[in-house]
Amino acid sequence: MSNFDQLQFDFYHSNYTIDDQEEGYNSHGSNGNLCGSRKQTGEQLPAGTFAPSEMPLYSQTYMGQILQPTYSPDTPSDLSYADGFDEEPPLLEELGINFEHIWQKTLTVLNPMKPADGSIMNETDLTGPMVFCLALGATLLLAGKVHFGYVYGMSATGCLAIHALLNLMSVSGVSRGCVASVLGYCLLPMVILSSSAVVLSLQGILGTFLALFIIGWCSFSASKIFTSALAMEGQQLLIAYPCALLYGLFALLTVF
């Protein structure tokens, strides 16, 4: 037991006293005062001596409010937006949908004697044709005929055939979108025929004459628009014949 007490006394025994701690603290404070006095007098510290770094002082202070930044004249002007949201075009115009042109094209088809505006008709507007194709398929579906595939298939084949024919006949040429737009708008009278097939049967003399009248209406409107848009005066009958063949296929779907 005496050996254990001797070991404990040797382990905790040290020459460090409280007086030494106070002396070290006083010496550290004198060194800090020495550094401060040298900074105030402008003297330079010798090499190898540690000196605390000064905090950076900003010459410009923020005078604005929270969430309200102040305007700085040094800000480059190219960062500001020149065009605001008010000057952007409408979304329908960016998509190429113009309801006024759609209405004018529809009136031109419904009134075959009305002269067609070539600048409006020479557009690749497929909004009206898609609506009329869906309307034709829907009215055929109401009559008990599921012919959506035939409608779209014959439309695509007829557009490609008439596009090739018009490029051979015209000097300036025509795009596929313009051909599809004109043929689609002129499909509107065929929608009227398919709508009448919902309430009455067209497999008779009345249905035959009505189908022939609708075919002539569609082909005459399409040939008139192509003639005015492509400046093909004197060739309307040549254009009306292949158009009549195409619309005759739609009439066969409607009647039978």
Short mmCIF file of all heavy atoms in Angstrom, two decimals, residues 25-69:
data_model
loop_
_atom_site.label_atom_id
_atom_site.label_comp_id
_atom_site.label_asym_id
_atom_site.label_seq_id
_atom_site.Cartn_x
_atom_site.Cartn_y
_atom_site.Cartn_z
N TYR A 25 0.84 34.58 -18.71
CA TYR A 25 -0.26 35.41 -19.18
C TYR A 25 0.16 36.86 -19.27
O TYR A 25 -0.16 37.59 -20.20
CB TYR A 25 -1.46 35.23 -18.26
CG TYR A 25 -2.62 36.14 -18.60
CD1 TYR A 25 -3.44 35.85 -19.68
CD2 TYR A 25 -2.87 37.29 -17.86
CE1 TYR A 25 -4.50 36.67 -20.01
CE2 TYR A 25 -3.90 38.11 -18.17
CZ TYR A 25 -4.73 37.79 -19.25
OH TYR A 25 -5.77 38.61 -19.56
N ASN A 26 0.93 37.35 -18.26
CA ASN A 26 1.40 38.73 -18.28
C ASN A 26 2.37 38.98 -19.42
O ASN A 26 2.36 40.03 -20.05
CB ASN A 26 2.04 39.08 -16.93
CG ASN A 26 1.02 39.06 -15.80
OD1 ASN A 26 -0.16 39.34 -16.03
ND2 ASN A 26 1.47 38.70 -14.59
N SER A 27 3.21 37.97 -19.68
CA SER A 27 4.15 38.13 -20.79
C SER A 27 3.44 38.16 -22.13
O SER A 27 3.81 38.91 -23.04
CB SER A 27 5.18 36.98 -20.77
OG SER A 27 4.50 35.74 -20.94
N HIS A 28 2.35 37.36 -22.29
CA HIS A 28 1.57 37.38 -23.54
C HIS A 28 0.88 38.72 -23.73
O HIS A 28 0.83 39.28 -24.83
CB HIS A 28 0.53 36.26 -23.51
CG HIS A 28 -0.35 36.27 -24.72
ND1 HIS A 28 0.09 35.89 -25.98
CD2 HIS A 28 -1.66 36.62 -24.85
CE1 HIS A 28 -0.89 36.01 -26.83
NE2 HIS A 28 -1.98 36.45 -26.17
N GLY A 29 0.35 39.31 -22.65
CA GLY A 29 -0.28 40.61 -22.76
C GLY A 29 0.71 41.70 -23.08
O GLY A 29 0.41 42.63 -23.82
N SER A 30 1.91 41.59 -22.56
CA SER A 30 2.93 42.60 -22.89
C SER A 30 3.35 42.51 -24.33
O SER A 30 3.58 43.52 -24.99
CB SER A 30 4.14 42.41 -21.96
OG SER A 30 4.70 41.11 -22.16
N ASN A 31 3.40 41.28 -24.87
CA ASN A 31 3.72 41.13 -26.29
C ASN A 31 2.63 41.74 -27.15
O ASN A 31 2.89 42.36 -28.18
CB ASN A 31 3.89 39.65 -26.64
CG ASN A 31 5.14 39.05 -25.99
OD1 ASN A 31 6.11 39.79 -25.75
ND2 ASN A 31 5.12 37.75 -25.73
N GLY A 32 1.33 41.55 -26.76
CA GLY A 32 0.23 42.15 -27.52
C GLY A 32 0.29 43.65 -27.46
O GLY A 32 0.05 44.34 -28.46
N ASN A 33 0.62 44.22 -26.30
CA ASN A 33 0.73 45.67 -26.21
C ASN A 33 1.90 46.18 -27.02
O ASN A 33 1.84 47.26 -27.61
CB ASN A 33 0.89 46.08 -24.74
CG ASN A 33 -0.33 45.75 -23.91
OD1 ASN A 33 -1.45 45.75 -24.45
ND2 ASN A 33 -0.15 45.46 -22.63
N LEU A 34 2.96 45.37 -27.06
CA LEU A 34 4.13 45.76 -27.85
C LEU A 34 3.79 45.81 -29.33
O LEU A 34 4.17 46.74 -30.05
CB LEU A 34 5.27 44.77 -27.58
CG LEU A 34 6.58 45.02 -28.36
CD1 LEU A 34 7.14 46.42 -28.01
CD2 LEU A 34 7.60 43.93 -28.06
N CYS A 35 3.01 44.80 -29.81
CA CYS A 35 2.62 44.80 -31.23
C CYS A 35 1.71 45.97 -31.55
O CYS A 35 1.83 46.63 -32.58
CB CYS A 35 1.90 43.49 -31.57
SG CYS A 35 2.97 42.04 -31.46
N GLY A 36 0.75 46.28 -30.61
CA GLY A 36 -0.15 47.40 -30.86
C GLY A 36 0.59 48.71 -30.86
O GLY A 36 0.29 49.60 -31.65
N SER A 37 1.57 48.87 -29.97
CA SER A 37 2.31 50.12 -29.94
C SER A 37 3.17 50.29 -31.17
O SER A 37 3.32 51.39 -31.70
CB SER A 37 3.16 50.17 -28.67
OG SER A 37 4.09 49.09 -28.68
N ARG A 38 3.68 49.19 -31.69
CA ARG A 38 4.49 49.29 -32.91
C ARG A 38 3.62 49.63 -34.11
O ARG A 38 4.05 50.31 -35.03
CB ARG A 38 5.22 47.97 -33.14
CG ARG A 38 6.37 47.75 -32.15
CD ARG A 38 7.13 46.48 -32.47
NE ARG A 38 8.25 46.31 -31.55
CZ ARG A 38 9.09 45.28 -31.59
NH1 ARG A 38 8.92 44.33 -32.49
NH2 ARG A 38 10.08 45.19 -30.73
N LYS A 39 2.39 49.15 -34.12
CA LYS A 39 1.50 49.51 -35.23
C LYS A 39 1.13 50.98 -35.17
O LYS A 39 1.00 51.64 -36.19
CB LYS A 39 0.22 48.66 -35.19
CG LYS A 39 0.47 47.21 -35.57
CD LYS A 39 -0.81 46.44 -35.54
CE LYS A 39 -0.58 44.98 -35.87
NZ LYS A 39 -1.81 44.20 -35.83
N GLN A 40 0.92 51.48 -33.94
CA GLN A 40 0.54 52.88 -33.83
C GLN A 40 1.69 53.81 -34.19
O GLN A 40 1.50 54.85 -34.80
CB GLN A 40 0.06 53.17 -32.41
CG GLN A 40 -1.27 52.47 -32.06
CD GLN A 40 -1.67 52.71 -30.64
OE1 GLN A 40 -0.96 53.40 -29.90
NE2 GLN A 40 -2.82 52.13 -30.24
N THR A 41 2.88 53.45 -33.83
CA THR A 41 4.05 54.29 -34.13
C THR A 41 4.56 54.11 -35.54
O THR A 41 5.37 54.89 -36.02
CB THR A 41 5.17 54.00 -33.14
OG1 THR A 41 5.46 52.59 -33.19
CG2 THR A 41 4.74 54.36 -31.73
N GLY A 42 4.04 53.08 -36.26
CA GLY A 42 4.46 52.87 -37.65
C GLY A 42 5.75 52.11 -37.79
O GLY A 42 6.33 52.07 -38.87
N GLU A 43 6.26 51.49 -36.68
CA GLU A 43 7.48 50.72 -36.79
C GLU A 43 7.18 49.37 -37.41
O GLU A 43 6.10 48.82 -37.30
CB GLU A 43 8.08 50.52 -35.40
CG GLU A 43 8.51 51.84 -34.73
CD GLU A 43 9.09 51.58 -33.36
OE1 GLU A 43 9.12 50.39 -32.97
OE2 GLU A 43 9.53 52.55 -32.71
N GLN A 44 8.17 48.80 -38.07
CA GLN A 44 8.06 47.51 -38.70
C GLN A 44 8.57 46.44 -37.76
O GLN A 44 9.57 46.64 -37.05
CB GLN A 44 8.84 47.47 -40.01
CG GLN A 44 8.32 48.45 -41.07
CD GLN A 44 9.09 48.33 -42.36
OE1 GLN A 44 10.06 47.60 -42.40
NE2 GLN A 44 8.65 49.08 -43.36
N LEU A 45 7.89 45.32 -37.76
CA LEU A 45 8.30 44.21 -36.92
C LEU A 45 9.46 43.49 -37.58
O LEU A 45 9.56 43.42 -38.79
CB LEU A 45 7.14 43.24 -36.71
CG LEU A 45 5.95 43.80 -35.92
CD1 LEU A 45 4.84 42.76 -35.87
CD2 LEU A 45 6.36 44.23 -34.53
N PRO A 46 10.32 42.94 -36.79
CA PRO A 46 11.42 42.16 -37.38
C PRO A 46 10.91 40.91 -38.05
O PRO A 46 9.79 40.46 -37.81
CB PRO A 46 12.30 41.83 -36.15
CG PRO A 46 11.36 41.92 -34.98
CD PRO A 46 10.37 42.99 -35.32
N ALA A 47 11.76 40.37 -38.92
CA ALA A 47 11.38 39.18 -39.68
C ALA A 47 11.21 38.00 -38.75
O ALA A 47 11.98 37.80 -37.82
CB ALA A 47 12.46 38.87 -40.74
N GLY A 48 10.24 37.16 -39.06
CA GLY A 48 9.98 35.99 -38.23
C GLY A 48 9.04 36.24 -37.09
O GLY A 48 8.69 35.31 -36.36
N THR A 49 8.64 37.48 -36.87
CA THR A 49 7.73 37.80 -35.77
C THR A 49 6.29 37.69 -36.26
O THR A 49 5.95 38.22 -37.32
CB THR A 49 8.00 39.20 -35.24
OG1 THR A 49 9.37 39.30 -34.88
CG2 THR A 49 7.11 39.51 -34.03
N PHE A 50 5.44 37.02 -35.53
CA PHE A 50 4.04 36.84 -35.92
C PHE A 50 3.23 38.09 -35.55
O PHE A 50 3.37 38.59 -34.43
CB PHE A 50 3.45 35.62 -35.21
CG PHE A 50 1.98 35.46 -35.42
CD1 PHE A 50 1.49 34.97 -36.61
CD2 PHE A 50 1.08 35.83 -34.43
CE1 PHE A 50 0.14 34.81 -36.80
CE2 PHE A 50 -0.26 35.69 -34.62
CZ PHE A 50 -0.73 35.18 -35.82
N ALA A 51 2.47 38.55 -36.50
CA ALA A 51 1.60 39.70 -36.26
C ALA A 51 0.21 39.37 -36.72
O ALA A 51 0.02 38.83 -37.81
CB ALA A 51 2.12 40.94 -37.01
N PRO A 52 -0.80 39.63 -35.94
CA PRO A 52 -2.18 39.32 -36.36
C PRO A 52 -2.61 40.18 -37.53
O PRO A 52 -2.26 41.35 -37.62
CB PRO A 52 -3.01 39.63 -35.10
CG PRO A 52 -2.19 40.61 -34.34
CD PRO A 52 -0.75 40.25 -34.59
N SER A 53 -3.32 39.54 -38.46
CA SER A 53 -3.77 40.24 -39.66
C SER A 53 -4.95 41.14 -39.34
O SER A 53 -5.77 40.84 -38.48
CB SER A 53 -4.17 39.24 -40.74
OG SER A 53 -5.21 38.41 -40.26
N GLU A 54 -5.01 42.26 -40.02
CA GLU A 54 -6.10 43.19 -39.82
C GLU A 54 -7.33 42.77 -40.61
O GLU A 54 -7.22 42.15 -41.66
CB GLU A 54 -5.68 44.60 -40.24
CG GLU A 54 -4.51 45.14 -39.43
CD GLU A 54 -4.13 46.52 -39.89
OE1 GLU A 54 -4.73 46.97 -40.89
OE2 GLU A 54 -3.25 47.14 -39.28
N MET A 55 -8.47 43.10 -40.13
CA MET A 55 -9.72 42.81 -40.82
C MET A 55 -9.90 43.77 -41.99
O MET A 55 -9.62 44.96 -41.85
CB MET A 55 -10.91 42.96 -39.86
CG MET A 55 -10.89 41.98 -38.71
SD MET A 55 -11.01 40.28 -39.25
CE MET A 55 -12.67 40.32 -39.89
N PRO A 56 -10.34 43.29 -43.17
CA PRO A 56 -10.52 44.19 -44.32
C PRO A 56 -11.67 45.14 -44.10
O PRO A 56 -12.72 44.78 -43.57
CB PRO A 56 -10.81 43.23 -45.48
CG PRO A 56 -11.38 42.03 -44.83
CD PRO A 56 -10.67 41.90 -43.50
N LEU A 57 -11.44 46.39 -44.47
CA LEU A 57 -12.45 47.42 -44.34
C LEU A 57 -13.01 47.76 -45.70
O LEU A 57 -12.25 48.00 -46.65
CB LEU A 57 -11.85 48.67 -43.69
CG LEU A 57 -11.30 48.48 -42.25
CD1 LEU A 57 -10.67 49.77 -41.78
CD2 LEU A 57 -12.39 48.03 -41.30
N TYR A 58 -14.31 47.72 -45.87
CA TYR A 58 -14.95 48.02 -47.15
C TYR A 58 -15.23 49.51 -47.23
O TYR A 58 -15.79 50.11 -46.32
CB TYR A 58 -16.26 47.23 -47.30
CG TYR A 58 -16.05 45.75 -47.33
CD1 TYR A 58 -16.17 44.99 -46.18
CD2 TYR A 58 -15.71 45.11 -48.52
CE1 TYR A 58 -15.96 43.62 -46.21
CE2 TYR A 58 -15.52 43.74 -48.56
CZ TYR A 58 -15.64 43.00 -47.40
OH TYR A 58 -15.43 41.66 -47.45
N SER A 59 -14.81 50.07 -48.36
CA SER A 59 -15.00 51.51 -48.55
C SER A 59 -16.44 51.86 -48.88
O SER A 59 -16.91 52.95 -48.60
CB SER A 59 -14.07 52.02 -49.66
OG SER A 59 -14.35 51.34 -50.86
N GLN A 60 -17.18 50.89 -49.54
CA GLN A 60 -18.56 51.15 -49.92
C GLN A 60 -19.48 50.32 -49.03
O GLN A 60 -19.25 49.13 -48.84
CB GLN A 60 -18.81 50.81 -51.39
CG GLN A 60 -18.00 51.67 -52.34
CD GLN A 60 -18.25 51.28 -53.79
OE1 GLN A 60 -18.99 50.34 -54.04
NE2 GLN A 60 -17.66 52.00 -54.71
N THR A 61 -20.48 50.92 -48.52
CA THR A 61 -21.44 50.24 -47.66
C THR A 61 -22.77 50.13 -48.38
O THR A 61 -23.10 50.94 -49.24
CB THR A 61 -21.63 51.02 -46.34
OG1 THR A 61 -22.05 52.34 -46.64
CG2 THR A 61 -20.32 51.06 -45.56
N TYR A 62 -23.54 49.10 -48.06
CA TYR A 62 -24.85 48.85 -48.67
C TYR A 62 -25.90 49.72 -48.00
O TYR A 62 -26.12 49.63 -46.80
CB TYR A 62 -25.20 47.37 -48.53
CG TYR A 62 -26.53 47.00 -49.12
CD1 TYR A 62 -26.69 46.90 -50.50
CD2 TYR A 62 -27.63 46.75 -48.31
CE1 TYR A 62 -27.90 46.56 -51.06
CE2 TYR A 62 -28.84 46.41 -48.86
CZ TYR A 62 -28.97 46.32 -50.24
OH TYR A 62 -30.16 45.97 -50.79
N MET A 63 -26.50 50.59 -48.79
CA MET A 63 -27.48 51.55 -48.27
C MET A 63 -28.90 51.18 -48.63
O MET A 63 -29.82 51.93 -48.34
CB MET A 63 -27.17 52.95 -48.82
CG MET A 63 -25.79 53.46 -48.46
SD MET A 63 -25.53 53.55 -46.68
CE MET A 63 -26.71 54.83 -46.27
N GLY A 64 -29.11 50.04 -49.31
CA GLY A 64 -30.46 49.66 -49.72
C GLY A 64 -31.20 48.94 -48.61
O GLY A 64 -30.75 48.83 -47.47
N GLN A 65 -32.37 48.42 -48.96
CA GLN A 65 -33.19 47.69 -48.03
C GLN A 65 -33.22 46.22 -48.42
O GLN A 65 -32.76 45.84 -49.48
CB GLN A 65 -34.62 48.26 -48.01
CG GLN A 65 -34.68 49.71 -47.57
CD GLN A 65 -36.11 50.22 -47.59
OE1 GLN A 65 -37.03 49.50 -47.94
NE2 GLN A 65 -36.27 51.48 -47.23
N ILE A 66 -33.77 45.42 -47.53
CA ILE A 66 -33.84 43.98 -47.79
C ILE A 66 -34.80 43.73 -48.95
O ILE A 66 -35.88 44.27 -49.03
CB ILE A 66 -34.30 43.23 -46.53
CG1 ILE A 66 -33.28 43.46 -45.40
CG2 ILE A 66 -34.46 41.75 -46.82
CD1 ILE A 66 -33.69 42.83 -44.10
N LEU A 67 -34.37 42.86 -49.87
CA LEU A 67 -35.13 42.50 -51.07
C LEU A 67 -35.35 43.67 -52.00
O LEU A 67 -36.15 43.58 -52.92
CB LEU A 67 -36.48 41.88 -50.71
CG LEU A 67 -36.44 40.60 -49.87
CD1 LEU A 67 -37.85 40.12 -49.58
CD2 LEU A 67 -35.62 39.52 -50.55
N GLN A 68 -34.65 44.79 -51.81
CA GLN A 68 -34.74 45.95 -52.68
C GLN A 68 -33.33 46.44 -52.98
O GLN A 68 -32.81 47.33 -52.31
CB GLN A 68 -35.57 47.07 -52.05
CG GLN A 68 -37.03 46.72 -51.84
CD GLN A 68 -37.81 47.87 -51.24
OE1 GLN A 68 -37.25 48.91 -50.98
NE2 GLN A 68 -39.10 47.65 -51.05
N PRO A 69 -32.66 45.80 -53.95
CA PRO A 69 -31.28 46.19 -54.23
C PRO A 69 -31.21 47.59 -54.84
O PRO A 69 -32.11 48.04 -55.54
CB PRO A 69 -30.82 45.13 -55.23
CG PRO A 69 -32.07 44.66 -55.88
CD PRO A 69 -33.13 44.74 -54.82
#
